[in-house]
Amino acid sequence: MSDAVSASDIDNSLKYGTQSKNADEVKDRRSDLLVRGAALFTADQTPADALHIAFVRSPVASGLLNGVNTIAAQSMPGVRCVLTADELYGGDGGKIGHLPVNEIIPFTAQPAPWAILASGTLDAVGQAVAAVVADTPLQAQDAAEIIELDFDVCERGSQAVAAQTWQSGDTAAHFAKAAHIVSCEVQHARLAPSPMETRAITVRYNDGGTLTIWHATQTPHRTRSHLARMLEIDPASLHVVAQNVGGAFGMKASLYPEEVLVVWAALKLRRSMCWSASRTEDFLSATHGRGLRSKARLAVDTDGGFLALEAQIEAPVGRWLPNSGLIPAWNGGRILPGPYEIEAVNIQTQAIAYNLAPVGIYRGAGRPEANFLMEGLVQKAAAATGLSGLEVRARNLVPAASMPKSTPTGNLLDSGDYQELLRRLEHDGCYSERLAKRDAARARGVLRGVGASIYLEPSGDGWETAQVTLNCDGTAHVASGSSGQGQARETAYAQIAASALGLPLHAVNVVCGDTETAPAGIGALASRGTAIGGSAVLAACTEAIKRRNGGEALPLTVDMRYDNKGQAWGCGAYLVDVQVDAETGEIEILDAFNLDDAGRIVNPAFALGQIQGGFAQGLGEALLERIVYDENGQLLTGSFMDYAMPRADNIPPLTVQKMETPSPMNALGAKGIGEAGTIGAPPAIYSAVLDALAPLGVRDLQMPMTPARVWQAIQDAKKDANNEI
Ligand code: SMO
């Protein structure tokens, strides 16, 4: 082989950034299998002798559970056993602990502990009440369907469970002297994250009683530690593997009750066991995202300067909380006032429990909501002052010279040049030409609009692990505590290591997502994979080189636990052109310009993929997606026939440009990019649509801006106009 490496090569090339191949040309190591449909997902790992589980679910949103009649089901063909809360919590069932919750904002009322199977009360339509274990999935399903639940229906309720306030400066004084006070009220729809593979878990019962668990998760090490704690078993007896998970988007960030049940059953019956949710089961009982209701007022001076911000955020949660259930409430509040300089704030956030499906993190997890609220206020401030939206932003963005900048909610904006983003948005995004095209279209009677947004994407905080081994044959092995959900994680880490070690890419092997072959770590969430996980790889490589230069013999292994210095704040600015059909209310996005600053980029093609995917999901929130319940808490959108996902023909051409302001907060200088599109796209699309409808007098809309809603808004505006005459 012409490019084989020897151990001595490692000594000679220490300079990070000397890549053997143009980073642009590096393809995802998994792409061949994925594109050919040959990659294995969780449900593909099912052992031949595995038993299958089907769940009986609550048909009501709130009720008292008097009993479960399982007798007929127990004698159905292929049925091994039927499990209810009695088996789990009574008799010799042993005890199962509760799913942990990250109390990122303080509980104001401790939510009732959540049972793995309903015990005493029914708290949401779709809550698992009983489980059938059978030889085949269909046998399990058939038996589940004849199980009868005895219950009394109760009133649905809601209860505030957690809250936090951020207060700084004298907001009242500023509002009293403000030249303009603008306000904004946003109701985000609940969204279904909808990964390609639904929730799935496959448990292989091994000789000796250990378990190998394939789990569609973003956090395999968390799966192991939480299961060990809840089931009071040795974590060493659990081997958790998360390989191709079919996407996750926050929905697979932590364990679900159903998944704990599957593992419990495998241990109890000493058999391999598996479960894969149907799409409808995911709509019913996997976590939803968004759903926040936010209200805000902004005090503005005569020059368009922002003086003070008041905001109230209400984040819905279910009657049970996944590990990250409080994150959207936290991010939705603490990320205000976004990229703008406002010293006086009074922001309250609350998490409120409803008898509906659980809510968790979903791509952005409070970032899109905070950003949408601020951009809405900016548009209102522009209208009130008569300035353009871009001019109002320019007057209020945190200047680069102030970085790092402490925010009134206790964050530290680490780096970034927001004014330059705005300047480039206007110049490189050809803003005035877009306006000219809009005006020409308007002159022909076409409803066309241009919208802009600026966004922040704080990455996660904390630590991640990496283990790097320099082998005698000149190759390197990298094991990361992080995981992947489809971001080409191993390939990006291989690029980081190859650059740091001065090796050709093929000489670097990378593993992650497996508790046996990778060190314990956090996982794939909160835009932290490259910023923190990648920095852990880099730091381990740097240490390996140091020890090799110090004369240490090969093979040598470095175990690194890397702590970042703080959150890295990615940022960007988007421009969108839309056209609205006045007859049908249909919106077409004609074009979009995306300018993103994710700090140091490892692989431009992977970053681009994240921007495109995020934009598509942001577009879904803006125009299409909405979970709907009826007044009894019954889910009306339980399939893709009722819940509209964006399709390829909804996605406009994207012109993507980047800035690269390295973050001082981590070794790599990287920031997040995975959530950028979901944060930046909705407000840009929204303001473009309102701009298009402005000639008709439409001033307000809520997302998703479906044709029916847009058409109705047009009719209402016409009616108002007629009334005025
Ligand atoms: S919403 Mo993300 O997977 O932290």
Side-chain angles (χ1 to χ4, degrees):
M1 272 196 315
S2 60
D3 54 355
V5 278
S6 68
S8 61
D9 289 338
I10 296 172
D11 298 348
N12 295 332
S13 45
L14 311 180
K15 198 168 154 280
Y16 180 72
T18 54
Q19 302 199 346
S20 54
K21 210 171 177 191
N22 186 340
D24 249 333
E25 297 164 11
V26 177
K27 299 279 185 292
D28 179 6
R29 291 177 170 194
R30 294 191 191 190
S31 62
D32 179 54
L33 286 174
L34 287 165
V35 168
R36 287 193 292 111
L40 293 180
F41 294 84
T42 303
D44 295 320
Q45 308 285 355
T46 306
D49 65 341
L51 300 178
H52 298 261
I53 292 187
F55 290 94
V56 180
R57 296 179 179 279
S58 171
V60 295
S62 179
L64 283 179
L65 180 62
N66 306 316
V68 184
N69 186 343
T70 64
I71 294 168
Q74 284 177 22
S75 54
M76 288 282 283
V79 171
R80 299 299 177 117
C81 70
V82 181
L83 301 170
T84 67
D86 286 349
E87 280 72 34
L88 258 61
Y89 296 104
D92 64 349
K95 55 179 184 182
I96 302 185
H98 300 295
L99 289 157
V101 181
N102 177 359
E103 197 181 340
I104 188 89
I105 62 173
F107 281 122
T108 51
Q110 197 70 29
W114 181 256
I116 296 303
L117 293 173
S119 173
T121 61
L122 300 174
D123 296 305
V125 171
Q127 176 186 5
V129 180
V132 177
V133 182
D135 291 342
T136 72
L138 284 179
Q139 287 170 333
Q141 196 58 47
D142 282 348
E145 279 167 16
I146 64 163
I147 288 175
E148 288 171 3
L149 306 183
D150 174 11
F151 59 86
D152 297 311
V153 177
C154 298
E155 283 288 303
R156 296 166 62 204
S158 63
Q159 183 194 15
V161 293
Q164 185 166 346
T165 298
W166 295 269
Q167 211 161 1
S168 152
D170 189 347
T171 49
H174 285 295
F175 276 97
K177 70 172 192 218
H180 310 277
I181 296 174
V182 295
S183 61
C184 207
E185 198 165 334
V186 185
Q187 173 67 64
H188 291 265
R190 278 180 175 236
L191 304 180
S194 306
M196 285 190 291
E197 183 169 38
T198 53
R199 285 172 296 163
I201 189 163
T202 298
V203 182
R204 191 180 68 204
Y205 189 86
N206 302 318
D207 295 341
T210 65
L211 302 180
T212 304
I213 301 171
W214 289 270
H215 186 203
T217 183
Q218 299 165 236
T219 57
H221 297 282
R222 182 186 288 176
T223 295
R224 183 174 65 170
S225 61
H226 285 188
L227 281 172
R229 203 186 318 163
M230 294 176 73
L231 302 173
E232 295 191 349
I233 51 178
D234 181 2
S237 68
L238 303 175
H239 173 196
V240 181
V241 185
Q243 284 302 313
N244 298 305
V245 302
F249 313 119
M251 199 195 89
K252 297 173 179 170
S254 54
L255 277 162
Y256 286 91
E258 291 95 329
E259 296 165 342
V260 179
L261 184 282
V262 173
V263 177
W264 184 90
L267 287 168
K268 202 73 190 163
L269 276 68
R270 298 168 186 264
R271 287 291 302 268
S272 295
M273 201 72 63
C274 65
W275 173 66
S276 182
S278 70
R279 185 60 66 178
T280 294
E281 281 183 295
D282 264 11
F283 274 112
L284 275 170
S285 61
T287 50
H288 297 157
R290 313 282 190 269
L292 272 69
R293 183 175 189 80
S294 23
K295 276 197 263 188
R297 296 200 313 151
L298 181 67
V300 184
D301 69 19
T302 46
D303 299 323
F306 299 164
L307 300 171
L309 172 72
E310 286 176 359
Q312 292 89 39
I313 317 294
E314 290 179 7
V317 290
R319 286 289 169 184
W320 78 275
L321 275 69
N323 190 67
S324 305
L326 298 177
I327 299 280
W330 176 63
N331 274 338
R334 63 118 193 170
I335 291 171
L336 299 171
Y340 303 103
E341 208 164 20
I342 307 175
E343 297 310 329
V345 303
N346 189 345
I347 298 163
Q348 292 121 36
T349 196
Q350 268 192 309
I352 300 176
Y354 295 91
N355 291 94
L356 299 172
V359 178
I361 52 175
Y362 167 52
R363 202 169 189 172
R367 297 167 182 82
E369 295 92 322
N371 203 68
F372 193 86
L373 187 64
M374 275 320 296
E375 293 302 279
L377 290 168
V378 165
Q379 287 302 129
K380 295 274 172 84
T385 55
L387 298 167
S388 77
L390 294 196
E391 182 56 33
V392 170
R393 289 182 178 86
R395 293 185 186 190
N396 291 283
L397 287 169
V398 172
S402 308
M403 295 288 182
K405 164 85 177 168
S406 296
T407 78
T409 52
N411 298 303
L412 185 71
L413 307 178
D414 63 313
S415 64
D417 189 339
Y418 308 152
Q419 302 280 359
E420 177 64 6
L421 279 176
L422 198 65
R423 196 196 62 74
R424 282 189 52 183
L425 191 76
E426 192 166 5
H427 183 263
D428 301 356
C430 308
Y431 187 66
S432 52
E433 282 142 68
R434 287 172 198 267
L435 293 185
K437 278 190 200 160
R438 174 198 70 183
D439 293 340
R442 273 185 189 168
R444 298 194 307 271
V446 174
L447 295 176
R448 188 163 159 153
V450 181
S453 72
I454 285 216
Y455 75 85
L456 296 184
E457 181 187 358
S459 67
D461 202 359
W463 58 277
E464 192 51 275
T465 57
Q467 185 184 67
V468 169
T469 301
L470 303 185
N471 296 317
C472 299
D473 64 358
T475 63
H477 181 79
V478 176
S480 162
S482 183
S483 192
Q485 45 170 302
Q487 306 99 324
R489 185 76 79 221
E490 292 97 336
T491 315
Y493 286 176
Q495 289 181 260
I496 292 166
S499 294
L501 300 171
L503 293 176
L505 200 56
H506 68 79
V508 181
N509 183 42
V510 179
V511 295
C512 66
D514 184 319
T515 60
E516 218 147 77
T517 59
I522 305 283
L525 65 172
S527 295
R528 65 204 315 292
T530 304
I532 310 176
S535 288
V537 171
L538 175 58
C541 290
T542 306
E543 177 66 17
I545 291 286
K546 205 167 101 193
R547 279 170 43 185
R548 176 62 181 150
N549 283 353
E552 196 167 320
L554 297 178
L556 75 84
T557 296
V558 171
D559 276 296
M560 177 65 61
R561 181 192 140 116
Y562 176 82
D563 266 284
N564 72 356
K565 293 191 203 127
Q567 298 190 330
W569 290 69
C571 56
Y574 288 1
L575 268 182
V576 166
D577 300 277
V578 304
Q579 187 165 313
V580 181
D581 184 328
E583 300 301 316
T584 63
E586 201 163 343
I587 294 166
E588 187 187 355
I589 303 187
L590 302 169
D591 191 71
F593 176 79
N594 306 52
L595 175 60
D596 301 277
D597 187 344
R600 180 155 299 155
I601 302 283
V602 173
N603 184 310
F606 299 168
L608 178 63
Q610 290 299 316
I611 292 164
Q612 291 167 328
F615 190 95
Q617 279 179 311
L619 182 152
E621 169 161 26
L623 301 185
L624 296 162
E625 298 184 45
R626 181 162 74 118
I627 289 283
V628 182
Y629 285 101
D630 74 6
E631 64 279 5
N632 297 315
Q634 293 290 343
L635 180 69
L636 300 182
T637 47
S639 80
F640 287 134
M641 294 299 286
D642 319 298
Y643 183 91
M645 292 266 284
R647 295 182 300 252
D649 64 354
N650 296 119
I651 314 299
L654 305 180
T655 303
V656 178
Q657 289 192 9
K658 68 173 182 205
M659 284 172 58
E660 257 185 285
T661 312
S663 173
M665 294 301 179
N666 60 68
L668 201 57
K671 304 178 180 182
I673 192 67
E675 301 173 299
T678 58
I679 313 169
I685 294 170
Y686 180 82
S687 71
V689 171
L690 280 197
D691 185 43
L693 297 176
L696 301 181
V698 175
R699 305 260 175 270
D700 227 346
L701 267 178
Q702 291 290 339
M703 300 187 294
M705 296 178 284
T706 58
R709 281 182 171 178
V710 172
W711 184 87
Q712 191 61 53
I714 292 172
Q715 306 316 311
D716 292 348
K718 278 184 186 161
K719 220 183 294 167
D720 290 348
N722 289 337
N723 289 343
E724 276 164 29
I725 299 165

